Structure formats: C-alpha cells, structure tokens
Amino acid sequence: MAQARMKVIFGHINQRDHHAFSLSPVAAGLSVQPQVTEFQYTLDNPRLTYAQRAFYEENGFLVIPNLVPHVLIDKWRDRFLDLVEGRVDTAGMTKMKDIALKDKKNVAAERVVNKLQDFVWDEVLSEHCLLPQVLDYVECFTGPNIMAMHTMLINKPPDPGTRTSRHPLHQDLHYFPFRPANRIVCAWTAMEKINNDNGCLFVLPGSHKGKLEQHEYPEWEDGVNKMYHGVRGFDDEPKAMLCMEKGDTVFFHPILLHGSGDNRTQHFRKAISCHYAASECNYIDVRGTSQESIAKEVEEIALRRGVTGLDFKEIWKLRSRVARGTEVNL
C-alpha cells in the first residue's frame, strides 16, 4: 500500500502540467479528495484552485512545477560561488560548513559550505524571496502583508562517506519565535534536478496537523552538522520523496515533518528557499518551551560573531524584511 502511494507521488511530482500534482490526491492515496468545508491552512485567493487548496489542507505541502526561471537560478548559483569563494563580501550572511570537512585543508569552499543563510539584503540572492511569481503563491498562505523571515541557499555537497550531508527529520517551526504557524510558509526551489540519489526532500504528508515536537541533535555515528536538530519516533512512518526538476517550487507548512537524504552522487545538489510569515504574526516568548534550547544556541552563535545585546527575537528581526505589503507586527 505504502509503496503504491509513493510511486504515484513520484509520478505526479515529475509531471510538467501546472496543476498535475495537486489534482491527484485520490490517486496518490494521500487523501480521498476532501470536501473541505472550512479551510485552516490556506486563504481565499484565486491563485490556488480548489483542488490545490484541498491538497495542501490535507497534506501540508504543494509543488508548483517550473515556477522559477532557469536564467535566474543560474545567476544565483554564480552569486553563491562568488560569496563562498571570497570574491564578494558575505557581510552579515551566515556560512555553515559540513562537520566532516570544515577543518580539512585544500578542500574547495563549494564543497565545505553546505548552507548560506541570511542573504535577505543581498542584491542578487534576495531576488528569490522578492520574486513576484513566488509571492503570488505565498500570499495564498500568509495574506497580502508578507515578511521574508529566513533565507537559505542549501548546497548539499557529495557526501564524504560520513552521511553528514543528510538532514534529520524536523519541523521548521522549531526555529521560529513567531506565530500563528498557519500563517507561515516556506517556498523551496530546486536549483537543479533533485532525486533520491542526490538527497531530495522527504515529507510526512498530513503531519502539519500535529504539534510541534521535541527536537534535539540526532546521535549519528560520524556526527551531525550544527543546528541540524531532529525529532524521534517517526522512522517507520511512510514518507513522500519530493523528486523535483530545476525551477520547481514546493510550498510547505512549518509543522510539516520533513528532512533530506545524503547526496550519493559526485555532483552538488542546490536549492534556494525563503520562509515567509504574515506581517500580522506576533513574536512569542520561548522561555520554558521546547524551543528554549535553540534560542540559546542562536544567541551563543551571535555572541561568537560579535553581535551583543540581542535576544532571540531581536536576532530574528535583523534577518527579516518586508517582501510585499505593509509591515505590521513582525
């Protein structure tokens, strides 16, 4: 049953028709196309068809094929290389390095840096989080006042044999001190063909209806990359593998459980993403919650980088900007 479900999911994701993936919840086995009487996770907006809204409501994600032009993706790839190889100043951006390679000599920067974060003010990479065709879909989840909260270019390098290129199953809300969760969405764009071999995303359909789980570092034999927190207890749950083509974009809910496998090829696997939130969202106090540990970790990293006097909430304010509409609370 699970194998049949996954096979159909793969097929729909790889179709090029604009609505093909979303129109097939019955065949995919993800849901018997629900007659939704009350939408919780999407807003009234003609950009989404009823079937697309129903699919996201039931499963917590939606793939839009060929949304982002390849010429822009190639431009962003070149900018990433300029930044990590030192030809352009990274300013306040965060370069994250693979734990298995960060201390090795004579290793190319592209192979060591597995993520570039906080490029929301970079004149080139910020084009992704401000792209009108992306924001038109984001507005279906957040409303018209949109904040770009968290930007990342994920550069999954060929795995060095340690499996440190994989990302444990997690929920993005774990990292975010703002609510409500239903007005937050991620737009994750494939910068090249992404499949099981080079470490595609995998998701647990419908898990966005659950709660924020406890996160911690997994106990992996060869170590785990910094900030790669994960959840436990879901290893046996069926997962949908999001095989995508260059330019495809998946929109997903911040409570959706997801991760990615290791890159077993000799080529890099890049994706660019932005988490958005309705500007009407509010910051919350995470002290005494499961998020307190990640807040302390972020604050400690900021201190080591010479950023003093800022708490978790204030750090998030620095890394965000208005993408569309008006700044309200965030």
Side-chain angles (χ1 to χ4, degrees):
M1 179 88 175
Q3 279 186 326
R5 175 192 298 178
M6 296 301 106
K7 184 176 180 181
V8 176
I9 291 170
F10 300 156
H12 288 308
I13 291 176
N14 286 324
Q15 290 184 52
R16 299 293 90 206
D17 179 74
H18 183 78
H19 300 303
F21 182 74
S22 302
L23 292 174
S24 329
V26 177
L30 294 172
S31 65
V32 176
Q33 184 165 330
Q35 296 301 311
V36 180
T37 57
E38 183 178 351
F39 291 104
Q40 298 181 55
Y41 309 108
T42 58
L43 300 170
D44 292 337
N45 188 306
R47 176 66 56 177
L48 294 183
T49 66
Y50 175 86
Q52 287 175 317
R53 289 188 72 179
F55 187 90
Y56 187 92
E57 292 281 333
E58 184 65 20
N59 299 296
F61 68 97
L62 180 70
V63 176
I64 304 298
N66 201 28
L67 183 64
V68 177
H70 292 192
V71 65
L72 289 178
I73 290 173
D74 294 341
K75 179 181 177 183
W76 301 334
R77 181 193 309 275
D78 291 344
R79 181 66 166 187
F80 170 79
L81 293 176
D82 285 342
L83 288 162
V84 300
E85 292 173 0
R87 290 185 291 274
V88 177
D89 184 13
T90 55
M93 298 179 224
T94 301
K95 290 190 291 187
M96 300 181 70
K97 299 180 178 181
D98 190 292
I99 189 174
L101 299 171
K102 64 183 181 68
D103 296 323
K104 293 188 178 298
K105 305 294 184 183
N106 302 317
V107 179
E110 183 184 14
R111 192 173 179 89
V112 176
V113 177
N114 58 19
K115 281 186 183 179
L116 181 66
Q117 299 192 99
D118 307 325
F119 52 77
V120 71
W121 295 108
D122 182 75
E123 60 184 19
V124 178
L125 293 181
S126 64
E127 291 174 349
H128 177 262
C129 67
L130 302 177
L131 203 61
Q133 54 264 53
V134 171
L135 293 176
D136 287 345
Y137 279 97
V138 170
E139 194 168 327
C140 301
F141 309 101
T142 64
N145 298 317
I146 305 171
M147 295 292 292
M149 300 300 297
H150 184 219
T151 46
M152 288 193 300
L153 196 154
I154 306 105
N155 178 51
K156 190 184 284 288
D159 194 89
T162 58
R163 302 200 68 198
T164 50
S165 66
R166 58 185 161 156
H167 201 301
L169 196 66
H170 66 284
Q171 298 162 304
D172 290 340
L173 192 68
H174 168 66
Y175 298 93
F176 303 156
F178 41 90
R179 300 293 189 275
N182 290 351
R183 299 284 75 86
I184 303 170
V185 71
C186 180
W188 193 99
T189 300
M191 296 181 68
E192 52 213 307
K193 186 181 180 68
I194 293 178
N195 54 34
N196 292 337
D197 292 334
N198 61 11
C200 66
L201 287 179
F202 54 80
V203 302
L204 268 64
S207 57
H208 67 301
K209 299 176 184 177
K211 62 182 178 66
L212 181 59
E213 302 287 342
Q214 180 70 40
H215 286 63
E216 54 194 23
Y217 280 109
E219 297 175 355
W220 289 347
E221 182 177 352
D222 290 306
V224 61
N225 285 312
K226 193 70 174 173
M227 308 292 283
Y228 278 33
H229 295 189
V231 300
R232 300 177 187 270
F234 294 89
D235 291 347
D236 296 330
E237 296 292 327
K239 301 170 181 68
M241 313 300 288
L242 301 190
C243 300
M244 299 167 66
E245 298 290 336
K246 183 177 180 178
D248 291 357
T249 300
V250 58
F251 297 87
F252 60 90
H253 191 279
I255 296 182
L256 184 75
L257 285 160
H258 66 287
S260 65
D262 46 323
N263 182 359
R264 302 189 302 274
T265 74
Q266 294 305 306
H267 306 284
F268 294 91
R269 191 233 72 183
K270 290 181 175 63
I272 189 168
S273 73
C274 181
H275 284 87
Y276 300 90
S279 183
E280 292 84 356
C281 288
N282 291 286
Y283 284 103
I284 63 167
D285 187 351
V286 300
R287 289 176 296 181
T289 73
S290 64
Q291 293 179 261
E292 186 170 15
S293 62
I294 187 64
K296 290 180 179 178
E297 191 170 349
V298 169
E299 290 168 357
E300 288 169 0
I301 291 173
L303 279 175
R304 288 200 296 272
R305 297 180 63 188
V307 180
T308 60
L310 297 180
D311 62 18
F312 193 38
K313 179 177 72 174
E314 291 164 332
I315 292 169
W316 273 101
K317 286 184 176 181
L318 283 180
R319 68 200 313 189
S320 62
R321 68 180 290 183
V322 175
R324 175 178 286 182
T326 303
E327 185 171 356
V328 181
N329 296 325
L330 296 179

